[in-house]
Amino acid sequence: MTDGRIPTARLGDGGPEAGVQGLGCMGMSWAYGTPDAQESRAALERALELGVTLYDTAEGYGDGANERFLSPFFKAHRDEVVIATKFGVRVPTGDRSKRIIRNDPPYVRQAVEGSLERLDVDVIDLYYMHRRDVNVPIEETVGAMAELVRAGKVRHLGLSEVTADELRAAHAVHPIAAVQSEWSLFSRDIEARVVPAAAELGVALVPYSPLGRGFLTGGFSDAAKDLSDDDVRRTMPRFHGENAAANAALLEPIRTVAEAHGASLAQIALAWVQQRSTVHGLPVVQIPGTTRRARVEENVAATRIVLTDDELALLEPIADKVAGTRYPDMSFASAGRE
């Protein structure tokens, strides 16, 4: 990091190389209240200056609004960025707790055309199946995705929130570069089977919500009291009432470690996720989301923090004590199907 930029990692065998920390862009258009578009654009530019090169979006983020928002940035920096987007999840208007999932091959072919048009690019660097439709054999879905690679519309394939068995079945059809799943001090279920399978197959992990959707930063303590009515976190069980109060108490060991490093809670949470790469022996490129330049700088600075064995031991018990599930319906996540 002699030039001040973060180190890089390769996403899978033969996959794209990216900075070890990417940027989740969903909140720039959808889900976490009303964002500041101008500040979000500045955050994108600042992230790239610091070596953040993987930018994550999806067709389902604001019904394509997020892809459209990112398009000018991607166009201005096409050769410098790794564009990751996803298909297969739509959120019904008026009920953000629900999901419409489609993985059938005709939809895969339709969805990629929509994303290419909204992003205004000729090829997508990393194309994920966003969520699993268990009624469609994963081999059929990945087979259709592989057709997109052969057609030159997609460079590499990814999967989001799949089980270890689903990953193995998919990888047998076409190489998978990355698996995206929630992974944080609060959410470690993928370590049981998914992470070992990914390490064995040479697949990278792209953790989303490494900051526990902001809860690990201490930024809010109860979604119903602290967040706006249009914030999707109000639908998530672990951020309400008794669950939220119990989980807030779990931040204390993170504060202890943060004080020792002169760091923020967010930086310690991100440093912990980054060190999963060493612990589990696979590439890890996390994608914390933010809409502000200052937060980008804070997050990227976490790549310089190395936690000691004693500090890791202090943080180890947290996940087992978390109250409440990640989603109201966990069948859409790998943990709900393992």
Side-chain angles (χ1 to χ4, degrees):
M1 295 193 300
T2 55
D3 63 352
R5 291 166 63 88
I6 61 177
T8 62
R10 187 165 298 281
L11 298 176
D13 294 337
E17 189 169 349
V20 294
Q21 188 178 114
L23 183 61
C25 300
M26 177 179 73
M28 295 181 177
S29 305
W30 181 79
Y32 294 155
T34 303
D36 180 329
Q38 183 176 351
E39 179 62 17
S40 292
R41 293 188 185 97
L44 290 166
E45 296 287 350
R46 183 59 178 143
L48 187 59
E49 290 173 354
L50 295 171
V52 173
T53 54
L54 177 66
Y55 295 83
D56 185 86
T57 182
E59 65 168 1
Y61 296 163
D63 198 22
N66 195 233
E67 290 178 323
R68 293 188 190 95
F69 175 80
L70 294 168
S71 176
F73 172 73
F74 290 155
K75 195 160 190 174
H77 302 287
R78 186 62 189 97
D79 295 337
E80 303 170 78
V81 299
V82 176
I83 299 174
T85 193
K86 303 181 283 292
F87 74 89
V89 174
R90 291 298 178 95
V91 180
T93 302
D95 190 349
R96 292 186 173 183
S97 68
K98 304 296 183 183
R99 298 289 184 270
I100 298 171
I101 311 295
R102 285 192 65 181
N103 291 174
D104 55 285
Y107 187 77
V108 175
R109 301 181 190 107
Q110 171 190 331
V112 75
E113 298 299 338
S115 286
L116 287 167
E117 180 180 358
R118 289 185 293 270
L119 293 165
D120 194 19
V121 297
D122 296 326
V123 61
I124 294 164
D125 299 312
L126 180 57
Y127 199 44
Y128 289 99
M129 181 188 77
H130 201 167
R131 289 293 188 275
R132 173 91 167 93
D133 179 356
V134 297
N135 298 308
V136 179
I138 197 165
E139 294 86 351
E140 292 184 11
T141 304
V142 177
M145 295 169 71
E147 291 175 7
L148 305 181
V149 176
R150 292 191 288 271
K153 297 177 180 181
V154 169
R155 290 195 171 108
H156 306 282
L157 303 184
L159 304 170
S160 181
E161 288 287 359
V162 291
T163 67
D165 289 344
E166 290 164 350
L167 172 58
R168 292 181 191 282
H171 196 74
V173 175
H174 188 280
I176 302 300
V179 168
Q180 184 176 137
S181 286
E182 187 164 353
W183 200 3
S184 73
L185 281 165
F186 268 20
S187 299
R188 298 181 58 180
D189 49 79
I190 64 169
E191 293 177 22
R193 297 191 62 202
V194 177
V195 170
E200 176 190 330
L201 297 171
V203 177
L205 252 294
V206 178
Y208 72 83
S209 298
L211 296 174
R213 300 184 184 273
F215 197 89
L216 286 165
T217 71
F220 71 99
S221 58
D222 189 310
K225 298 176 182 177
D226 301 335
L227 303 178
S228 62
D229 291 341
D230 58 350
D231 195 305
V232 72
R233 290 170 290 187
R234 291 172 65 94
T235 70
M236 298 176 178
R238 62 177 46 168
F239 302 140
H240 292 274
E242 293 181 358
N243 286 348
N247 293 336
L250 299 179
L251 302 183
E252 288 311 309
I254 309 175
R255 287 194 176 92
T256 299
V257 177
E259 289 172 3
H261 285 267
S264 66
L265 273 69
Q267 288 172 326
I268 298 307
L270 294 174
W272 181 89
V273 174
Q274 184 176 315
Q275 284 183 236
R276 299 301 91 191
S277 177
T278 301
V279 171
H280 295 280
L282 79 172
V284 173
V285 177
Q286 59 188 317
I287 48 170
T290 187
T291 63
R292 292 187 282 171
R293 283 169 289 183
R295 291 300 184 211
V296 166
E297 293 168 352
E298 177 184 350
N299 292 347
V300 167
T303 64
R304 298 190 288 272
I305 297 174
V306 177
L307 303 177
T308 67
D309 289 344
D310 287 344
E311 289 167 341
L312 292 172
L314 184 63
L315 301 174
E316 181 67 21
I318 292 174
D320 288 339
K321 299 176 181 179
V322 173
T325 55
R326 295 196 271 137
Y327 297 106
D329 181 356
M330 283 296 291
S331 66
F332 297 128
S334 60
R337 300 191 305 279
E338 286 281 16

